[in-house]
Amino acid sequence: MKIIRLIFFIVHVGISFLLVGTLLNAYVPPKTFPWFNLLSLGFPVFMIVYLLLTLFWIISWKKRAFVFLLFGLLFFKPVIRWINYMPQKNEIPDLKIISLNAKGGFYGKGNIESYINSQKSDIVLLQEYGINKKYQFNGMKEGSQGHIITVFSKHRFIEQKQLIESDYEYNNAYASQTDIEIKGKIYRFINVYLQPFKFQKSMVKLNGNSEEDEQKLKDVVKRLIPTFKMHQEQISAVRKSIDESPYPVILAGDFNSVPNSYEYYHLLEGLQDAFVEAGRGSATSFHDYKFPIRIDYIFSSLSVKPLSYKVDRSVKLSDHFPVIATFKSEK
């Protein structure tokens, strides 16, 4: 039994170091050391193992349980970026937003239109909407289109600008800023689609053959690391739009990045995560893999209070679930 406890202790300490590595993404950019960003992908697994081992020490009546419990408090905020249970707010919202990666409309353009129309939102931000798709949403006008992203609004467009342009060979990212007047107040909406990893299920599915699986893992890492570095470049243009905005900002879209990543920390700076402030349940939004993945977000300026946040799992309009948030502008 002592040997088993020693092994568990070594594993627990090792997991603790890996979790700390995910926190360092707030400070270390991918171009300097991309491996911390790689660790962020495994955060849910690391945290589950950490909690199970802590429970083992509690059941074993070991003093080290208190040390691991206290140390685990460092990860409370990172955990609620994945799973959260905020009490329901009873205030009346001023604004309702939907963000959806539509996967080119391959699940049915009509299904997307029917769903969006039923939600009666103020703003709809689409990623991968399908360049040949012409959506019709009740009472909404479409802003200027990018090849990847587009914005619909029930309210008046003031100004629109592309922040990231795709060149289709090296860069497949897109981002835009759209200033919209709503009830006499102007907001800046930033729609983001960062560089995708372009994985197919066959590329990440292990089949039990050690040599093939090892090669698959190497190929995955070779694709992840350069993409992390591209994200670092891409978010600089988005940050500039946020930092220079004279209006409250709402940032949404498919970041192709998980919570606790470099991208998450640096896009969130000066803003608030609507899920952390008002979400309930799991924030996992990409459902094509069994592994929990949250890559769709809605952030807002501190002056725009999130009242609710929902990942709508009742529909399958693409390989992403729609993300819906409501807000109240503070006077």
Side-chain angles (χ1 to χ4, degrees):
M1 191 63 181
K2 287 184 179 180
I3 295 177
I4 293 176
R5 286 176 178 168
L6 177 61
I7 293 172
F8 281 3
F9 178 75
I10 293 171
V11 171
H12 209 167
V13 171
I15 292 291
S16 300
F17 277 107
L18 293 177
L19 286 170
V20 169
T22 66
L23 300 181
L24 294 177
N25 282 314
Y27 312 102
V28 183
K31 287 187 177 181
T32 300
F33 191 78
W35 300 98
F36 290 142
N37 222 27
L38 193 64
L39 290 177
S40 67
L41 296 172
F43 180 85
V45 174
F46 297 151
M47 202 66 226
I48 289 170
V49 174
Y50 185 93
L51 292 173
L52 288 174
L53 288 171
T54 302
L55 181 61
F56 172 79
W57 299 126
I58 292 173
I59 294 172
S60 300
W61 287 94
K62 293 294 182 180
K63 292 180 181 179
R64 67 192 65 171
F66 297 102
V67 176
F68 284 114
L69 276 173
L70 290 173
F71 186 76
L73 293 177
L74 286 174
F75 309 107
F76 175 75
K77 192 67 175 285
V79 165
I80 64 174
R81 294 169 185 154
W82 293 85
I83 300 176
N84 196 16
Y85 290 95
M86 291 297 292
Q88 185 175 355
K89 297 178 175 67
N90 295 320
E91 300 175 66
I92 298 174
D94 299 325
L95 184 61
K96 184 176 182 179
I97 298 169
I98 296 177
S99 179
L100 171 66
N101 180 315
K103 195 176 174 59
F106 294 147
Y107 283 57
K109 170 177 169 286
N111 293 334
I112 293 175
E113 289 177 332
S114 177
Y115 176 78
I116 297 296
N117 288 332
S118 71
Q119 294 300 310
K120 299 179 180 179
S121 61
D122 295 281
I123 307 293
V124 175
L125 302 103
L126 298 182
Q127 306 88 40
E128 288 193 72
Y129 70 95
I131 189 62
N132 297 319
K133 300 293 190 299
K134 300 297 180 183
Y135 296 96
Q136 299 293 324
F137 300 140
N138 295 339
M140 286 191 159
K141 294 182 179 180
E142 185 174 11
S144 59
Q145 295 178 334
H147 291 286
I148 306 274
I149 57 177
T150 189
V151 179
F152 291 83
S153 173
K154 287 183 177 178
H155 306 277
R156 185 167 71 95
F157 291 100
I158 302 297
E159 185 178 1
Q160 300 175 76
K161 177 183 177 182
Q162 297 298 327
L163 302 175
I164 301 174
E165 300 272 0
S166 174
D167 60 22
Y168 301 109
E169 293 183 7
Y170 174 71
N171 176 12
N172 295 116
Y174 235 97
S176 67
Q177 73 176 41
T178 307
D179 297 338
I180 300 175
E181 182 180 3
I182 302 174
K183 299 177 182 178
K185 188 170 184 177
I186 299 175
Y187 299 82
R188 173 161 294 177
F189 292 87
I190 302 177
N191 192 7
V192 172
Y193 179 78
L194 293 184
Q195 182 73 20
F197 295 103
K198 298 182 180 179
F199 285 133
Q200 302 295 329
K201 283 186 179 181
S202 60
M203 298 169 63
V204 297
K205 186 177 181 180
L206 304 181
N207 56 20
N209 185 305
S210 59
E211 291 185 4
E212 290 184 9
D213 290 347
E214 181 180 353
Q215 186 58 48
K216 281 187 177 182
L217 290 173
K218 289 180 180 179
D219 292 341
V220 166
V221 171
K222 287 179 182 178
R223 190 176 291 250
L224 288 170
I225 299 301
T227 304
F228 292 152
K229 294 178 179 179
M230 292 176 69
H231 285 177
Q232 181 180 339
E233 296 176 0
Q234 291 161 4
I235 65 176
S236 62
V238 178
R239 278 286 0 146
K240 183 178 180 182
S241 177
I242 296 169
D243 296 337
E244 295 180 355
S245 176
Y247 315 118
V249 171
I250 294 178
L251 169 68
D254 177 359
F255 295 1
N256 280 305
S257 308
V258 297
N260 315 317
S261 63
Y262 174 88
E263 297 89 331
Y264 179 92
Y265 281 116
H266 288 267
L267 287 173
L268 183 66
E269 185 177 343
L271 305 175
Q272 56 189 336
D273 184 339
F275 175 74
V276 172
E277 301 300 322
R280 294 178 62 84
S282 169
T284 295
S285 56
F286 182 75
H287 61 79
D288 213 26
Y289 302 154
K290 294 181 180 180
F291 190 83
I293 301 177
R294 180 193 181 195
I295 55 177
D296 300 278
Y297 303 86
I298 301 179
F299 296 166
S300 70
S301 293
L302 301 182
S303 61
V304 186
K305 181 181 179 182
L307 297 184
S308 68
Y309 183 102
K310 179 183 180 181
V311 180
D312 194 345
R313 296 181 178 82
S314 67
V315 292
K316 285 191 177 181
L317 305 174
S318 80
D319 52 356
H320 295 242
F321 291 119
V323 175
I324 307 169
T326 61
F327 298 88
K328 183 177 180 63
S329 181
E330 297 184 350
K331 307 300 181 182

